[in-house]
Amino acid sequence: AGEVVERPASVVKELVENALDAESTRIQVEIAAGGRSLIRVTDDGTGMGRDDALLCLERHATSKIRSAEDLASIQTMGFRGEALPSIASVCRFVLTTRERSDTSGEANQLIIQGGNLAEVKAAASPPGTTVEVRQLFFNLPARRKFLRSDETERAHIQHYLTLAALSHPRVGFTFISDGRIVWQLPPLAFTSEAERGAALQE
């Protein structure tokens, strides 16, 4: 089952779910023109080494399933290895990632144009992963034509992010649209269900 990228919100959903699976404590989502011209998702998760970064863009390559038995007890939101290659095939895509354990200060950056790997280089970056998606559907004008107004697409993204933030109060979320901070939600610590309820209300 190929991952169908219908609209900018589909891209945000897949990238944020990857960030959550990577044990991030802070996730920043930045968009421009309702996600049409830019979607940038930055996390402070576990990150990837060079080999894993290259492999994650291959279809059906996933770090979330180690054996057939794992399919009976899935703990992650993604596990089929479809989302990143599907997204990368319909945009100008830049992946910058550095493992949390890497003390060199050097990240790996992959540049993909319409699904084709254009360049792999070193870049300065904090631990974690940043995925930048520009010019969504630049190579699929028919799909681009079906996108709604910037405001409608932004509302779809904000609706998904609201659900993600409410279901993960321990993770801090920042949402930036056209250079303006829409909201900044700090990560909240709690140990009991009562505290969880208070965290959700906050």
Side-chain angles (χ1 to χ4, degrees):
E3 193 63 53
V4 178
V5 181
E6 290 180 349
R7 61 188 338 150
S10 317
V11 173
V12 171
K13 176 180 180 292
E14 297 297 341
L15 297 181
V16 168
E17 286 181 355
N18 276 352
L20 290 167
D21 283 344
E23 301 163 14
S24 305
T25 60
R26 292 180 183 274
I27 298 171
Q28 178 173 296
V29 178
E30 185 176 349
I31 64 168
R36 207 181 303 249
S37 63
L38 169 71
I39 297 168
R40 185 186 293 120
V41 177
T42 305
D43 68 53
D44 63 352
T46 50
M48 290 179 279
R50 180 188 167 97
D51 291 347
D52 281 349
L54 286 163
L55 193 58
C56 79
L57 293 159
E58 300 292 333
R59 292 201 180 275
H60 313 298
T62 179
S63 60
K64 300 171 189 180
I65 294 289
R66 303 281 178 193
S67 66
E69 288 70 41
D70 290 348
L71 287 168
S73 57
I74 290 165
Q75 305 291 317
T76 55
M77 283 177 272
F79 62 92
R80 294 178 304 137
E82 282 280 342
L84 284 180
S86 295
I87 294 166
S89 68
V90 294
C91 68
R92 303 189 193 282
F93 185 97
V94 179
L95 170 72
T96 309
T97 186
R98 177 179 148 206
E99 286 181 295
R100 208 178 258 168
S101 56
D102 183 345
T103 55
S104 70
E106 197 172 87
N108 293 291
Q109 188 171 77
L110 281 61
I111 298 168
I112 295 103
Q113 306 276 12
N116 299 312
L117 184 62
E119 192 178 355
V120 182
K121 61 182 181 179
S125 175
T129 301
T130 297
V131 177
E132 196 172 278
V133 169
R134 290 187 180 272
Q135 293 175 283
L136 188 62
F137 303 138
F138 79 98
N139 52 353
L140 290 171
R143 188 81 61 88
R144 194 169 64 236
K145 193 177 70 181
F146 279 99
L147 292 177
R148 301 288 177 235
S149 70
D150 291 357
E151 189 54 40
T152 300
E153 297 300 342
R154 186 195 64 77
H156 279 284
I157 291 168
Q158 188 165 345
H159 175 69
Y160 164 72
L161 287 176
T162 303
L163 299 179
L166 286 171
S167 57
H168 296 86
R170 283 194 174 99
V171 179
F173 281 85
T174 302
F175 179 38
I176 301 170
S177 177
D178 294 316
R180 185 177 62 86
I181 294 177
V182 179
W183 36 250
Q184 211 162 7
L185 307 174
L188 300 171
F190 54 87
T191 52
S192 68
E193 278 305 306
E195 286 179 358
R196 181 189 175 91
L200 277 174
Q201 272 189 306
E202 189 177 327

